[in-house]
Amino acid sequence: MEAGPSAMTTTHTSARPDAPAAPAEPPVDVLVIGAGFSGLGMLYHLLERGFSARVVEAGDDVGGTWYWNRYPGCRCDSPTEVYQFFFSKELLQDWDWTHVYPAQPEILSYLRHVADRFDLRRHISLETRVRSASFNDATGTWRSTLDTGEVVESRFLVTAVGCLSDPQVPAYPGLENFRGEWHHTSRWPHSGVDFTGKRVGVIGTGSSGIQVIPEIAKEAAHLTVFQRTANFSFPARNRPLRPGEMEEFKASYDAIHAEIRAAKLGQRFAPMPGSALAVPAEVRQRFYEESWARGNAVLLFSGWEDLLTNEEANATAADFVRSKIAERIDDPETRDSLLPRNHPLGTKRPPLDTEYFETFNRDNVTLVDLRRTPIEEFCDGGVRVQTGVPDESQVHELDVLVFATGFDAITGPLLEIDITGSGGMSLREKWQDGPLTYLGLATAGFPNMFTITGPGSPAVISNMPTAIEQHNEWIRDCLVYMRDHGYQRIETSATTEEEWTVHVSELAQETLLVKVDSWYMGSNIPGKPRRFLSYLGGVGTYGDVITGVAAKDYDGFTFG
Ligand code: NAP
């Protein structure tokens, strides 16, 4: 085991759930909520700089996204050499990945290894949720009540709750009547689900659905896929790493790190300058063919920079991808339903797949196009859909129902916790018309609180660990700066966060992404304000911005 960060004092007291007691001991420096990539990385950096820290995690192990999402086929969409921590050269040299896109168990093992190797576990309380957190103006501290009844007092509160961690099940009536079992992809039983000989239904064809569907089809007696929106998906072309490849990565990690920190997507992709429309059709076609052969969404991520801003340019790529998808599906009617036509390419998060479209050529797989035959209700036997004939319905009989129906993204997990700031201001009330943040890291009226990968940061529009490490390091440095200057309190202002939020929105308005319904826009959740939730300026530019803010003595923040 590598020498871990020194043990710091943590403090807690017990209280009855109905009467939160005031903590008797001095506050811990930082309470971190969540032990996924963000929380583990944050904890490492805090301990390493001598802060006391405590992490509270709902799962019974560390891992976050990779703890909760255990459905068959679950794997990463970022290439392995970029999807990891870069904070320790020893960790980078010691860990060997097996595939270009590692599967969930491998990434979970990696995160468990990080927790063990850096001796982080003794600062983490598992199977514990933070129910509420409130800032006390008199003491300048946060007081958080856990679901155990314990109250933790801390000088700082850091949310590391993930962007896609609040799963959603659609509100059609009758789920309580369904005789079979049902699961959400993000709350998969640890013991697995046996589909052998069963009639299975999957609702949802986003990244999770597109990964789980081919795997269930191999096992189930029959699989019915309920599709509301046909999706563009790119072949992952996943494969085991070749002999020597891991060694090449290890020799190049410094360069890879520098590259992804400067890149727009935090990945080893860079858009081409100019317009897709400015080159001859044959040149475009050649580039699209070569990109397709490489796998991943290379065509989009390394394609011309106007693919996501100009509908005509986008259509050249979308037409190409549609033609490739069409080649993969035998039945004309199924093909027609599976071809995405209602949104430009890349305006919903593009999934990577392994044999997804080919799965619909199997005899035991049926596609139900919900645009033609919408769901009416769940019933004891399965899912009842309209048939298109007035007053007529049809029940798809099922033994198991799988919801791959997504998440209340980015703001959902934050607003699940009852957070109250200075003067008793509620975060839920403050953000009822949409989130307001400065840099996606802080929100006015909530002193000493930082939101890792919060709304208004690049996060979900990038390779998540790259975005997370930017935030982990920035928060660490900010706390060190405060300690060095004897500051107790940091906060941003309403004017500053308004300016940043407008800037984020203006960047989004320049793109096609704001024109469609997606979880990026919050429009997958009924009643959620429709607003683009992430910063589109890119990881590299964003890194320059937050570094510049720090260099100017945390411009936009005030200290007390
Ligand atoms: P998602 O992208 O939001 O997809 C949800 C799917 O469920 C969509 O097809 C949606 O249709 C459908 N749906 C939602 N409500 C419905 C309803 N009431 N009736 C019928 N269909 C409904 O969720 P996800 O697939 O879990 O993925 C979310 C994000 O997690 C991804 O975009 C990605 O960022 C991340 N993720 C990553 C990986 C990876 O890296 N490999 C894997 C999985 C997830 P509509 O499109 O019509 O709304």
Side-chain angles (χ1 to χ4, degrees):
M1 180 177 292
E2 189 172 285
S6 60
M8 296 295 137
T9 49
T10 58
T11 179
H12 58 273
T13 56
S14 291
R16 294 197 318 276
D18 55 339
E25 296 178 50
V28 66
D29 288 333
V30 187
L31 179 69
V32 179
I33 310 177
F37 257 103
S38 321
L40 290 176
M42 191 73 256
L43 179 59
Y44 171 84
H45 287 297
L46 291 170
L47 298 175
E48 201 239 348
R49 294 303 164 103
F51 293 102
S52 61
R54 168 125 179 237
V55 174
V56 172
E57 163 58 50
D60 69 11
D61 201 353
V62 301
T65 286
W66 302 103
Y67 168 89
W68 294 105
N69 290 273
R70 292 165 185 255
Y71 58 85
C74 181
R75 62 176 64 251
C76 183
D77 279 354
S78 286
T80 179
E81 76 271 22
V82 302
Y83 198 85
Q84 57 187 331
F85 287 120
F86 278 81
F87 63 66
S88 160
K89 285 193 192 309
E90 293 76 18
L91 175 64
L92 284 164
Q93 292 306 315
D94 289 356
W95 186 265
D96 289 331
W97 297 101
T98 65
H99 283 72
V100 174
Y101 305 103
Q104 173 269 334
E106 190 170 345
I107 307 172
L108 181 58
S109 300
Y110 167 77
L111 291 169
R112 301 184 75 224
H113 170 72
V114 169
D116 293 334
R117 180 185 177 119
F118 298 103
D119 197 13
L120 301 178
R121 286 187 188 271
R122 64 204 166 100
H123 304 274
I124 303 173
S125 303
L126 298 171
E127 291 186 272
T128 309
R129 279 182 185 275
V130 175
R131 288 280 175 233
S132 64
S134 62
F135 185 74
N136 183 331
D137 284 295
T139 57
T141 55
W142 281 92
R143 188 166 294 177
S144 302
T145 305
L146 314 185
D147 61 358
T148 54
E150 187 185 345
V151 178
V152 180
E153 192 167 6
S154 60
R155 289 182 52 229
F156 296 92
L157 181 68
V158 174
T159 62
V161 291
C163 295
L164 297 155
S165 51
D166 182 8
Q168 297 295 306
V169 171
Y172 302 114
L175 188 55
E176 66 284 3
N177 301 327
F178 178 51
R179 273 196 313 261
E181 56 181 298
W182 65 265
H183 306 281
H184 191 284
T185 44
S186 185
R187 290 292 177 270
W188 206 253
H190 289 202
S191 51
V193 181
D194 183 7
F195 295 110
T196 317
K198 301 211 171 124
R199 299 162 303 175
V200 185
V202 175
I203 302 183
T205 53
S207 297
S208 304
I210 279 176
Q211 288 187 329
V212 81
I213 284 164
E215 296 303 316
I216 296 178
K218 289 178 199 162
E219 215 184 293
H222 193 88
L223 172 64
T224 307
V225 176
F226 297 88
Q227 173 195 270
R228 186 165 71 182
T229 304
N231 219 333
F232 290 99
S233 179
F234 292 83
R237 306 204 194 288
N238 193 26
R239 59 170 173 77
L241 292 178
R242 300 188 181 104
E245 221 168 342
M246 202 56 236
E247 285 65 35
E248 278 170 36
F249 291 147
K250 286 182 181 181
S252 333
Y253 273 141
D254 284 347
I256 292 172
H257 193 209
E259 182 184 351
I260 63 177
R261 277 300 183 98
K264 186 160 188 176
L265 297 173
Q267 299 246 19
R268 301 175 82 188
F269 299 114
M272 278 190 281
S275 169
L277 303 173
V279 298
E282 320 77 82
V283 173
R284 262 197 324 256
Q285 188 69 11
R286 201 177 323 124
F287 172 76
Y288 291 157
E289 286 286 1
E290 284 167 7
S291 306
W292 191 258
R294 283 175 60 194
N296 204 317
V298 173
L299 177 160
L300 192 61
F301 299 153
S302 298
W304 290 274
E305 61 191 354
D306 67 345
L307 287 180
L308 285 174
T309 55
N310 179 327
E311 276 185 62
E312 212 186 320
N314 186 287
T316 64
D319 287 344
F320 173 85
V321 175
R322 265 191 296 270
S323 73
K324 289 294 185 189
I325 292 174
E327 287 171 9
R328 300 170 65 185
I329 308 153
D330 296 342
D331 174 61
E333 199 182 323
T334 309
R335 186 189 309 137
D336 189 54
S337 288
L338 282 168
L339 286 180
R341 295 194 186 87
N342 82 339
H343 60 282
L345 177 71
T347 52
K348 283 174 178 273
R349 199 282 211 171
L352 304 190
D353 75 86
T354 300
E355 305 284 302
Y356 171 67
F357 292 107
E358 290 79 358
T359 297
F360 293 91
N361 299 334
R362 296 175 64 111
D363 292 339
N364 70 333
V365 178
T366 309
L367 179 71
V368 176
D369 185 342
L370 298 179
R371 303 249 170 198
R372 293 178 186 162
T373 59
I375 294 177
E376 246 176 31
E377 61 168 1
F378 301 115
C379 54
D380 57 351
V383 177
R384 185 187 301 282
V385 299
Q386 294 169 13
T387 60
V389 178
D391 299 326
E392 195 183 274
S393 66
Q394 180 197 353
V395 174
H396 292 277
E397 299 282 343
L398 303 171
D399 305 307
V400 187
L401 188 48
V402 173
F403 292 104
T405 41
F407 303 87
D408 183 351
I410 306 175
T411 51
L414 287 168
L415 297 179
E416 225 175 52
I417 306 164
D418 182 11
I419 301 178
T420 317
S422 181
M425 183 193 299
S426 144
L427 189 63
R428 289 177 186 151
E429 276 173 33
K430 180 181 170 183
W431 284 5
Q432 64 188 348
D433 295 327
L436 287 159
T437 72
Y438 179 39
L439 309 173
L441 273 163
T443 185
F446 294 77
N448 294 4
M449 179 175 105
F450 298 109
T451 49
I452 302 176
T453 63
S457 71
V460 294
I461 308 294
S462 71
N463 178 45
M464 285 300 290
T466 319
I468 285 167
E469 289 209 298
Q470 273 183 331
H471 275 184
N472 285 171
E473 291 165 19
W474 190 92
I475 294 167
R476 172 200 66 194
D477 293 346
C478 178
L479 297 193
V480 169
Y481 175 91
M482 288 181 70
R483 184 170 61 189
D484 291 349
H485 288 77
Y487 296 139
Q488 298 292 321
R489 179 173 166 142
I490 178 172
E491 59 194 305
T492 188
S493 71
T495 319
T496 305
E497 70 178 6
E498 177 72 23
E499 278 170 15
W500 179 258
T501 304
V502 168
H503 174 57
V504 168
S505 167
E506 283 172 353
L507 288 175
Q509 292 301 327
E510 290 169 12
T511 73
L512 303 174
L513 279 81
V514 294
K515 299 195 171 176
V516 307
D517 287 337
S518 68
W519 63 257
Y520 288 149
M521 294 295 296
S523 46
N524 61 327
I525 303 297
K528 186 167 176 173
R530 195 174 191 286
R531 184 187 273 198
F532 196 81
L533 292 166
S534 301
Y535 172 80
L536 280 175
V539 164
T541 307
Y542 177 81
D544 293 343
V545 171
I546 61 172
T547 308
V549 164
K552 284 198 228 152
D553 291 324
Y554 294 88
D555 192 20
F557 290 95
T558 51
F559 293 100

